Amino acid sequence: MAGLSFAAIDVETANSSRGSICAVGVTVVREGRRLATHSWLCRPPAALNFFSPHNIRVHGITAAMVEDRPPFGAHWNEIVQAVDGLPLVAHNAGFDSSAIREACTQSGIIAPDWDFSCSLAMSRRHLDLESYRLPSVADALGIELLTHHDAAADAAASAEIVLALAAQTGARSLGELERTGYLRPPRRRETPRSPRADRPVRNYSFPREELVMPEVSGTDPAHALYGHTIVFTGNLASLTRQQAWDAIAACGATPARNVTRRTTALVIGDSFVGDDPAAFTTTKARRVHQLRNRGQHIDVIDEQRLLVLLERDAGGASDAWVFTHAYPARQPDSVDLDRYGPTG
């Protein structure tokens, strides 16, 4: 393994946007010897600085844990110094390399032209496993990985995988590990999926006829949402999709499945905060961003602001919704959220 020098890198993200990096780990290997592991916790770039419940469940990093940390861009020079011009390795390098490029772009940094190799692809070439996820490969090679999705631990494990494969094969460079061996296709499932008809169906949407605004007592034509056509994307923490659709219909809005030219508002869940659809990576958010650029007025509402407009019936005897805020009469051309709720 003499001459085998590289830096293994791993990033963790705060939400579904790849550039929302909140942790970075780098392990340095020179001449076949693992020398040091560095790690940084950071705030994601400003436009992507929100934490999805799903991502928190994966890596355990919360907004509170990084609120006093410097942003990703402030750590960039330290990361570059740790890499020190070495070729890069990551397990599923396509994700980590694109995350770094996006985080750099969002931070106003020129993205580096780094040479990435993938320890996952190397593992598929040289090992015959049921799974090539990092914990599975590490276990197969006898590599300790105590805290998966800890950026430092994952970077170290990726480095050790490369070193173990090089030792097994006699490879003297990353290129040899990438070229030799057989790239194994994904294994087919031994147990076939059940027929589609037998799978449980998650009913997040109404049948078409139920999308019509219901005749609910208390619906106010002057309500801030009255007359709007509203689409939801991402999961809300406080409401199911069905409850959210019921709620907005009760105040005069029309729930819709997809973003079209009739859409006037998009509600974004997954703990998103803000009003920029470009900061949220779903098809619906991208479509809203495109239509806005073409001149269509579409408001973006995060969950906090939506809840300001909605108030659950305190009696709790039924699933009815009551809206007690007093709103001035207005046309449904925009949702004036600054008037009806906090912006933080």
Side-chain angles (χ1 to χ4, degrees), residues 53-237:
H54 169 74
N55 292 60
I56 293 173
R57 285 193 296 271
V58 168
H59 52 54
I61 303 170
T62 65
M65 293 170 64
V66 301
E67 64 181 355
D68 294 328
R69 302 274 182 163
F72 169 82
H75 285 301
W76 181 242
N77 286 338
E78 300 170 59
I79 296 168
V80 171
Q81 289 173 10
V83 171
D84 196 23
L86 293 168
L88 270 292
V89 168
H91 204 77
N92 190 11
F95 173 83
D96 295 270
S97 60
S98 62
I100 290 170
R101 285 195 301 272
E102 177 63 18
C104 286
T105 299
Q106 292 288 341
S107 302
I109 297 168
I110 297 176
D113 186 20
W114 279 344
D115 181 19
F116 268 88
S117 297
C118 182
S119 57
L120 185 151
M122 294 175 188
S123 300
R124 287 183 59 196
R125 284 189 175 277
H126 297 285
L127 301 173
D128 186 14
L129 304 176
E130 292 285 343
S131 169
Y132 294 91
R133 295 179 61 249
L134 187 63
S136 300
V137 178
D139 183 63
L141 294 173
I143 295 167
E144 186 176 64
L145 176 59
L146 296 178
T147 51
H148 184 34
H149 291 299
D150 174 271
D154 285 1
S158 180
E160 292 290 353
I161 286 169
V162 173
L163 293 175
L165 292 175
Q168 286 185 8
T169 62
R172 293 170 295 179
S173 69
L174 296 176
E176 284 188 47
L177 283 173
E178 291 176 310
R179 291 190 300 271
T180 59
Y182 171 68
L183 185 60
R184 303 175 189 277
R187 287 173 174 258
R188 299 184 65 179
R189 292 174 178 264
E190 294 182 4
T191 304
R193 288 180 180 267
S194 58
R196 182 170 295 276
D198 295 338
R199 298 184 207 164
V201 177
R202 297 183 296 174
N203 183 19
Y204 287 141
S205 59
F206 296 157
R208 171 65 73 180
E209 64 272 12
E210 292 185 20
L211 288 175
V212 177
M213 183 180 67
E215 296 292 335
V216 178
S217 175
T219 297
D220 183 0
H223 193 283
L225 299 180
Y226 183 84
H228 284 277
T229 298
I230 301 178
V231 175
F232 288 78
T233 187
N235 294 318
L236 300 177

Side-chain angles (χ1 to χ4, degrees), residues 20-40:
S20 62
I21 293 177
C22 58
V24 182
V26 174
T27 292
V28 177
V29 174
R30 291 190 182 275
E31 298 297 324
R33 295 181 56 196
R34 178 177 149 191
L35 297 183
T37 295
H38 311 271
S39 64
W40 300 266

